[in-house]
Amino acid sequence: MDYVEKRRRPDWCPGCGDYGILQALYQALADLNLDPHNVFLVSGIGCSAKTIHYVNANGAHTLHGRPIPYATGIKLANPNLEVIVIGGDGDLMGIGAEHLVHAGRRNVDFTVLMFDNGVYGLTKGQASPTLRRGVKTKALARPNIYDAINPVVLALSVGFTFVARGYAYDVKHLAYLIREAIRHKGSAFIDILQPCPTYNDVNTKEWYEARIYKLENEPGWDPVVRSPSEEEVTKKLTQAFLRGMEWGDKIPIGIFYQNEYVPTYEERILEQMPNYLKAPPALSPLYGPDGSTIVNVEEILKEKEVW
């Protein structure tokens, strides 16, 4: 499948990490051989949000901080779609943080890709929620006074069942992470570290590449939950939290945690609405040929009795 949108050319700054992320997304979608009509990309506001315009698939460019609730509605209306949320660190960790939290606890079966460069690039380089306290990028008048949110630890703590971190300039590795996230049954989150050559002159390509290492190259590393036992889940979560806290001289990338034993949001709905997957809202007829409503209200009311 060709996912390159040939009618529009990316117009990010030269050297932006967004280019690498876009190429990794192309590669992951092609590797999975998904029909573009069955892929739906949802973005918020910011440099990252333009990504949906450069992919030959369905897309919705929504409100600042609101791509996750929008994507949740799409997935629930048509569970057959592969839904991918695209947002920046300001979009998802700032104004959209509440929605990220609830997506995790619901375990919605979609993938969240967070472009993480530590700044609000579209609005001239203000500190984002992932910039560390005391760091002064060139757009800031003074060092940042806020503590940073740790996206990996946050995603783990709120219930995402697939949590990973990638690096924008390692396209092959990032494509692998995106591919595995899409394949995962449940809520998947990838924190994607990306240099911003225009506004972040601290976390540069050289800075990252002197620090990052791949978890899969670590002896004995296994992030996958092999049984639903409390002991196994606790073990895998604990090691994921410990690795997720690493930052500074060593920064891990790769898969931190993967657990497919947790029921998805769609499966939870199915338990109470047995016909949900057979006739999801987006595929159910609402009107007859003459324009009259054909929804069986009595059947809907019967379904409501189980709630």
Side-chain angles (χ1 to χ4, degrees), residues 17 21 27 34 37 52 118 123 175 194 212 217 229 244:
I21 301 172
Q27 185 174 321
L34 297 173
H37 290 95
I52 68 164
T123 52
Q194 60 159 131
I212 59 174
N217 293 337
S229 70

Short mmCIF file of all heavy atoms in Angstrom, two decimals, residues 17 21 27 34 37 52 118 123 175 194 212 217 229 244:
data_model
loop_
_atom_site.label_atom_id
_atom_site.label_comp_id
_atom_site.label_asym_id
_atom_site.label_seq_id
_atom_site.Cartn_x
_atom_site.Cartn_y
_atom_site.Cartn_z
N GLY A 17 12.50 16.66 13.62
CA GLY A 17 12.29 15.25 13.87
C GLY A 17 10.98 14.72 13.29
O GLY A 17 10.81 13.50 13.12
N ILE A 21 9.66 10.81 11.96
CA ILE A 21 8.46 10.15 12.48
C ILE A 21 7.51 9.83 11.34
O ILE A 21 6.92 8.74 11.29
CB ILE A 21 7.77 11.03 13.53
CG1 ILE A 21 8.73 11.32 14.70
CG2 ILE A 21 6.50 10.36 14.05
CD1 ILE A 21 8.22 12.33 15.70
N GLN A 27 6.44 3.56 6.90
CA GLN A 27 7.04 2.22 6.86
C GLN A 27 6.20 1.23 7.67
O GLN A 27 5.97 0.10 7.22
CB GLN A 27 8.46 2.27 7.39
CG GLN A 27 9.22 0.95 7.28
CD GLN A 27 10.68 1.08 7.69
OE1 GLN A 27 11.33 2.07 7.39
NE2 GLN A 27 11.18 0.07 8.38
N LEU A 34 -2.00 -2.46 5.66
CA LEU A 34 -3.36 -2.07 6.00
C LEU A 34 -3.98 -1.29 4.85
O LEU A 34 -3.32 -0.50 4.18
CB LEU A 34 -3.36 -1.19 7.26
CG LEU A 34 -2.84 -1.84 8.55
CD1 LEU A 34 -2.74 -0.79 9.65
CD2 LEU A 34 -3.75 -2.98 8.97
N HIS A 37 -8.20 2.86 3.62
CA HIS A 37 -9.58 3.20 3.97
C HIS A 37 -9.94 2.74 5.38
O HIS A 37 -10.92 3.20 5.95
CB HIS A 37 -10.54 2.56 2.96
CG HIS A 37 -10.48 3.17 1.60
ND1 HIS A 37 -9.69 2.66 0.59
CD2 HIS A 37 -11.07 4.27 1.09
CE1 HIS A 37 -9.81 3.40 -0.48
NE2 HIS A 37 -10.64 4.39 -0.22
N ILE A 52 -1.18 14.34 9.62
CA ILE A 52 -2.30 13.66 8.99
C ILE A 52 -2.50 14.12 7.55
O ILE A 52 -3.06 13.38 6.73
CB ILE A 52 -3.60 13.85 9.79
CG1 ILE A 52 -4.07 15.31 9.75
CG2 ILE A 52 -3.44 13.38 11.22
CD1 ILE A 52 -5.51 15.49 10.18
N GLY A 118 10.00 18.92 23.81
CA GLY A 118 10.24 19.79 24.97
C GLY A 118 9.82 21.23 24.81
O GLY A 118 9.96 22.02 25.75
N THR A 123 4.29 27.79 18.35
CA THR A 123 4.07 29.12 18.93
C THR A 123 5.36 29.73 19.46
O THR A 123 5.36 30.48 20.42
CB THR A 123 3.01 29.05 20.04
OG1 THR A 123 3.36 28.04 20.98
CG2 THR A 123 1.64 28.73 19.45
N ALA A 175 9.82 2.66 13.36
CA ALA A 175 8.82 1.96 12.56
C ALA A 175 8.43 0.64 13.21
O ALA A 175 7.26 0.25 13.23
CB ALA A 175 9.34 1.73 11.15
N GLN A 194 12.26 13.77 19.88
CA GLN A 194 12.62 14.39 18.60
C GLN A 194 13.31 15.74 18.81
O GLN A 194 12.80 16.59 19.54
CB GLN A 194 11.39 14.59 17.71
CG GLN A 194 10.33 15.48 18.33
CD GLN A 194 9.40 16.07 17.30
OE1 GLN A 194 8.20 16.02 17.45
NE2 GLN A 194 9.97 16.67 16.27
N ILE A 212 20.98 7.81 24.43
CA ILE A 212 19.96 6.77 24.25
C ILE A 212 20.57 5.39 24.07
O ILE A 212 21.64 5.22 23.52
CB ILE A 212 19.02 7.10 23.07
CG1 ILE A 212 19.81 7.22 21.76
CG2 ILE A 212 18.21 8.34 23.33
CD1 ILE A 212 18.91 7.41 20.54
N ASN A 217 18.35 -4.54 23.67
CA ASN A 217 19.75 -4.98 23.68
C ASN A 217 20.26 -5.27 25.09
O ASN A 217 21.39 -5.72 25.25
CB ASN A 217 20.64 -3.92 23.03
CG ASN A 217 20.37 -3.76 21.54
OD1 ASN A 217 19.85 -4.68 20.90
ND2 ASN A 217 20.70 -2.60 20.99
N SER A 229 -1.49 -13.26 35.93
CA SER A 229 -1.36 -13.30 37.38
C SER A 229 -0.88 -11.96 37.93
O SER A 229 -0.12 -11.24 37.29
CB SER A 229 -0.38 -14.40 37.79
OG SER A 229 0.94 -14.06 37.44
N GLY A 244 11.64 3.50 33.14
CA GLY A 244 11.02 4.75 32.70
C GLY A 244 11.52 5.97 33.46
O GLY A 244 11.45 7.09 32.95
#
